[in-house]
Amino acid sequence: MSAEYRLDFLCKDNIIVECKSVSELIANHRAQLFNYMRLLKKNMRNLGKLFP
């Protein structure tokens, strides 16, 4: 199984911003963000939820 992941925003080449359109953030959302941090060697992040 192959999957493609893309981060939502990379601000000033240092801050990862990941937006989710969900009612509740779960551990998988945080794990995805931490994987981006590890792969890109970045240490600043923001995980936000957006919902109608």
Side-chain angles (χ1 to χ4, degrees), residues 4-15:
E4 184 175 316
Y5 297 99
R6 296 182 189 181
L7 58 91
D8 291 334
F9 299 101
L10 181 60
C11 302
K12 299 198 179 227
D13 196 40
N14 195 34
I15 302 170

Side-chain angles (χ1 to χ4, degrees), residues 6-12 14-20 33 36-37 44-48:
R6 296 182 189 181
L7 58 91
D8 291 334
F9 299 101
L10 181 60
C11 302
K12 299 198 179 227
N14 195 34
I15 302 170
I16 297 170
V17 178
E18 189 67 15
C19 299
K20 301 292 182 190
L33 180 60
Y36 290 151
M37 290 171 54
M44 298 184 75
R45 76 272 184 199
N46 187 3
L47 178 62

Side-chain angles (χ1 to χ4, degrees), residues 11-40:
C11 302
K12 299 198 179 227
D13 196 40
N14 195 34
I15 302 170
I16 297 170
V17 178
E18 189 67 15
C19 299
K20 301 292 182 190
S21 180
V22 296
S23 59
E24 184 178 336
L25 294 173
I26 60 173
N28 288 351
H29 298 137
R30 289 179 183 83
Q32 180 183 13
L33 180 60
F34 290 132
N35 281 329
Y36 290 151
M37 290 171 54
R38 181 178 49 82
L39 291 170
L40 297 172

